[in-house]
Amino acid sequence: MSESGEVHPLSADTRILHVLAETTGPVVEVAKLAVLGHLRAGFKVAVAAHRSLLGTFGVPEDLADNFREIELAARRRFTLADPNTAFTLHKYYQHVDIVHAHGLHAATLAGLAFTGLPARLHPKVVATIESFDAAGVIEKTGAEIVGRTATALLGTTEPVVDYFGGKVPIVERAELVHPDIDVDLTVRTPRAQVRKELGVEEGTWMVASPIALRDHTALATVLDAADQINTKRPGRSVVTVLTGTGKDRSTIESAFADRGVIVAPSGDLVDVAAAADVVIASETMTGLSHEDLMQLSKPAVFIGNQRRAGIWGAAAKAVAADDTDALLSEINHLLDDPAGRGSQAVAAKKRVIDVNNGAAISATLLDLYAEVAESSDS
């Protein structure tokens, strides 16, 4: 689903090829979940990977008719076998619609496979990229190839998202599987002390967010809402406390200091979020994950792509990245409703305990593939 809420149905005839070079790690874990989920959804799915990984996907017999395995020589590191691997992918591209490459090496090979292929036969490439050394010649070259050939990029960290922003048409944070919540996430400073240290006066509502402090639509909307919330509700006093990091942090700290916005010390993010009356979750956050916010039992509003709001379930209302009025409405609704805040806080904690993030990942990716398939970028 797009930020505007438009649904992108994926054609039942879509043929999906997953490409892997790694054999272990969270990116591979997600790939395995995605393959099974996409098969269960009725799609034709193939996996291209090193033989050591083939046969480990656990595909049941009743789904085997729609599943194919393609052996590649690719390993975790770049090797002399890579040109042959790219050529192998090249030969299969005319038979697939979506290529999802998991990891920088796999995504580089997926991009190289376009060489010599007529544009009409180009599948759309989705790449999941982990952290990499942008200063290293080999990995930088791979990233440049991905930037030229991918239609969508899922970064496992915020620096990866920042790196590819503007280079790839669709750039988002990747959802990873978190089998356990972080039991070390504890609040160390009492709520009253946190608010006093931030300069939040008694009787003032506090809205907090770990949204990334770099130029993107959702941040502009959060800042706009922070600027308007008190003027639109005379008599109400609300401050918005931002804990995120990013290249615009110092600019926001100085430009919005007199407009109801506080940029908190980055080391206090857990205590700050715990001291808030309402938190704003976003698809681009730093320091705290969705699971972290849920673990803190906070009533929340999610801003951004509706697809990424799914992790919250019914524990948070979602608003589009560019809809200031909707964000204000949801924040005010929670501030006006003590019982609602309490029930959402409980729902959030229950969500992080009960949620099987892996079960939702394959569906989330199918929605992304549908958006990619509709795009005119190749």
CSV table of all heavy atoms in Angstrom, one decimal, residues 11 28 45 48 70 74 91 93 147 153 155 201 213 242 253 270 272 276 319 323 336 351 373:
chain,number,residue,atom,x,y,z
A,11,SER,N,-0.2,-9.2,-9.6
A,11,SER,CA,-0.7,-10.2,-10.5
A,11,SER,C,-0.4,-11.6,-10.0
A,11,SER,O,0.7,-11.9,-9.6
A,11,SER,CB,-0.2,-9.9,-11.9
A,11,SER,OG,-0.5,-11.0,-12.7
A,28,VAL,N,19.3,-13.6,5.3
A,28,VAL,CA,19.0,-15.0,4.7
A,28,VAL,C,17.7,-15.5,5.4
A,28,VAL,O,16.8,-16.1,4.8
A,28,VAL,CB,20.1,-15.9,4.9
A,28,VAL,CG1,19.7,-17.3,4.5
A,28,VAL,CG2,21.3,-15.5,4.1
A,45,VAL,N,7.8,-19.3,-7.6
A,45,VAL,CA,9.0,-18.8,-6.9
A,45,VAL,C,10.2,-19.7,-7.2
A,45,VAL,O,10.1,-20.9,-7.3
A,45,VAL,CB,8.8,-18.8,-5.4
A,45,VAL,CG1,10.0,-18.3,-4.7
A,45,VAL,CG2,7.6,-18.0,-5.0
A,48,ALA,N,17.8,-18.7,-6.5
A,48,ALA,CA,19.2,-18.9,-7.1
A,48,ALA,C,20.2,-18.7,-6.0
A,48,ALA,O,20.3,-17.6,-5.4
A,48,ALA,CB,19.4,-17.9,-8.2
A,70,ILE,N,18.0,-22.9,-8.5
A,70,ILE,CA,19.0,-22.6,-9.5
A,70,ILE,C,20.4,-22.5,-8.7
A,70,ILE,O,20.5,-21.7,-7.9
A,70,ILE,CB,18.8,-21.3,-10.2
A,70,ILE,CG1,17.4,-21.4,-10.9
A,70,ILE,CG2,19.9,-21.0,-11.2
A,70,ILE,CD1,16.9,-20.0,-11.4
A,74,ALA,N,28.1,-18.4,-6.5
A,74,ALA,CA,28.3,-17.2,-5.6
A,74,ALA,C,28.4,-17.6,-4.2
A,74,ALA,O,27.7,-18.4,-3.6
A,74,ALA,CB,27.1,-16.2,-5.8
A,91,LYS,N,20.5,-15.5,-18.0
A,91,LYS,CA,19.7,-16.4,-18.9
A,91,LYS,C,18.3,-16.7,-18.3
A,91,LYS,O,17.4,-17.0,-19.1
A,91,LYS,CB,20.5,-17.8,-18.9
A,91,LYS,CG,21.8,-17.7,-19.7
A,91,LYS,CD,22.4,-19.0,-19.9
A,91,LYS,CE,22.9,-19.6,-18.6
A,91,LYS,NZ,23.5,-21.0,-18.8
A,93,TYR,N,16.5,-14.3,-16.6
A,93,TYR,CA,15.8,-13.1,-16.4
A,93,TYR,C,14.5,-13.0,-17.3
A,93,TYR,O,13.5,-12.4,-16.9
A,93,TYR,CB,16.7,-11.9,-16.6
A,93,TYR,CG,17.4,-11.4,-15.4
A,93,TYR,CD1,17.4,-12.2,-14.2
A,93,TYR,CD2,18.1,-10.2,-15.3
A,93,TYR,CE1,18.0,-11.8,-13.1
A,93,TYR,CE2,18.7,-9.8,-14.1
A,93,TYR,CZ,18.7,-10.6,-13.0
A,93,TYR,OH,19.3,-10.2,-11.9
A,147,GLY,N,22.7,0.8,-7.2
A,147,GLY,CA,22.0,2.1,-7.4
A,147,GLY,C,21.5,2.4,-8.8
A,147,GLY,O,20.5,3.1,-9.0
A,153,LEU,N,14.9,-0.6,-2.8
A,153,LEU,CA,16.0,-1.0,-1.9
A,153,LEU,C,15.5,-1.0,-0.5
A,153,LEU,O,14.9,0.0,0.0
A,153,LEU,CB,17.2,-0.1,-2.1
A,153,LEU,CG,18.4,-0.6,-1.3
A,153,LEU,CD1,19.7,-0.6,-2.1
A,153,LEU,CD2,18.6,0.3,0.0
A,155,GLY,N,17.0,-1.2,3.2
A,155,GLY,CA,18.3,-1.1,4.0
A,155,GLY,C,18.1,-1.6,5.4
A,155,GLY,O,17.1,-1.2,6.0
A,201,GLU,N,7.3,21.7,31.3
A,201,GLU,CA,6.7,22.2,32.5
A,201,GLU,C,5.5,21.3,32.9
A,201,GLU,O,4.9,20.6,32.1
A,201,GLU,CB,6.1,23.7,32.2
A,201,GLU,CG,7.2,24.7,31.8
A,201,GLU,CD,6.7,26.0,31.6
A,201,GLU,OE1,5.4,26.2,31.5
A,201,GLU,OE2,7.5,27.0,31.3
A,213,LEU,N,16.3,12.3,11.9
A,213,LEU,CA,16.3,13.7,11.7
A,213,LEU,C,17.1,14.0,10.4
A,213,LEU,O,18.2,14.6,10.4
A,213,LEU,CB,16.9,14.4,12.9
A,213,LEU,CG,16.2,14.1,14.2
A,213,LEU,CD1,16.8,14.9,15.3
A,213,LEU,CD2,14.7,14.5,14.1
A,242,LEU,N,12.2,15.1,20.2
A,242,LEU,CA,12.8,14.3,19.2
A,242,LEU,C,14.1,13.7,19.7
A,242,LEU,O,14.9,14.4,20.2
A,242,LEU,CB,13.0,15.1,17.9
A,242,LEU,CG,11.8,15.8,17.3
A,242,LEU,CD1,12.1,16.6,16.0
A,242,LEU,CD2,10.7,14.8,16.9
A,253,GLU,N,17.3,21.5,15.9
A,253,GLU,CA,17.4,22.0,17.2
A,253,GLU,C,17.4,23.5,17.4
A,253,GLU,O,16.8,24.0,18.3
A,253,GLU,CB,18.7,21.4,17.8
A,253,GLU,CG,18.9,21.6,19.3
A,253,GLU,CD,20.1,20.9,19.8
A,253,GLU,OE1,20.9,20.4,19.0
A,253,GLU,OE2,20.2,20.8,21.1
A,270,VAL,N,15.7,6.0,25.5
A,270,VAL,CA,14.8,5.1,26.1
A,270,VAL,C,14.0,5.8,27.2
A,270,VAL,O,12.8,5.7,27.3
A,270,VAL,CB,15.6,3.9,26.7
A,270,VAL,CG1,14.6,3.0,27.5
A,270,VAL,CG2,16.2,3.1,25.6
A,272,VAL,N,13.5,9.0,27.5
A,272,VAL,CA,12.6,10.0,27.0
A,272,VAL,C,11.3,9.4,26.4
A,272,VAL,O,10.2,9.9,26.7
A,272,VAL,CB,13.3,10.8,25.9
A,272,VAL,CG1,12.4,11.7,25.1
A,272,VAL,CG2,14.5,11.7,26.5
A,276,ALA,N,7.1,9.9,27.8
A,276,ALA,CA,6.2,10.6,26.9
A,276,ALA,C,4.7,10.1,27.2
A,276,ALA,O,4.5,9.0,27.7
A,276,ALA,CB,6.5,10.4,25.5
A,319,VAL,N,-1.1,7.1,9.9
A,319,VAL,CA,-1.4,8.3,9.0
A,319,VAL,C,-0.4,8.4,7.9
A,319,VAL,O,0.8,7.9,8.1
A,319,VAL,CB,-1.5,9.6,9.8
A,319,VAL,CG1,-2.5,9.5,11.0
A,319,VAL,CG2,-0.1,9.9,10.4
A,323,ASP,N,0.3,13.9,5.8
A,323,ASP,CA,-1.0,14.4,6.3
A,323,ASP,C,-0.9,14.9,7.7
A,323,ASP,O,-1.1,14.2,8.7
A,323,ASP,CB,-2.0,13.2,6.2
A,323,ASP,CG,-3.4,13.6,6.3
A,323,ASP,OD1,-3.7,14.7,6.8
A,323,ASP,OD2,-4.3,12.9,5.9
A,336,ASP,N,-6.9,13.3,24.5
A,336,ASP,CA,-8.3,13.5,25.0
A,336,ASP,C,-8.9,12.2,25.7
A,336,ASP,O,-9.9,12.3,26.3
A,336,ASP,CB,-9.3,13.9,23.9
A,336,ASP,CG,-9.0,15.3,23.4
A,336,ASP,OD1,-8.4,16.1,24.2
A,336,ASP,OD2,-9.3,15.6,22.2
A,351,ARG,N,1.5,-6.8,21.8
A,351,ARG,CA,1.9,-7.0,20.4
A,351,ARG,C,3.4,-7.4,20.3
A,351,ARG,O,3.7,-8.3,19.5
A,351,ARG,CB,1.7,-5.6,19.6
A,351,ARG,CG,2.1,-5.7,18.1
A,351,ARG,CD,1.0,-6.4,17.3
A,351,ARG,NE,1.3,-6.4,15.9
A,351,ARG,CZ,0.6,-7.0,15.0
A,351,ARG,NH1,-0.4,-7.8,15.4
A,351,ARG,NH2,0.9,-7.0,13.7
A,373,ALA,N,6.3,-3.4,-9.4
A,373,ALA,CA,5.8,-3.9,-10.7
A,373,ALA,C,5.0,-2.8,-11.5
A,373,ALA,O,5.0,-2.7,-12.7
A,373,ALA,CB,4.9,-5.1,-10.6
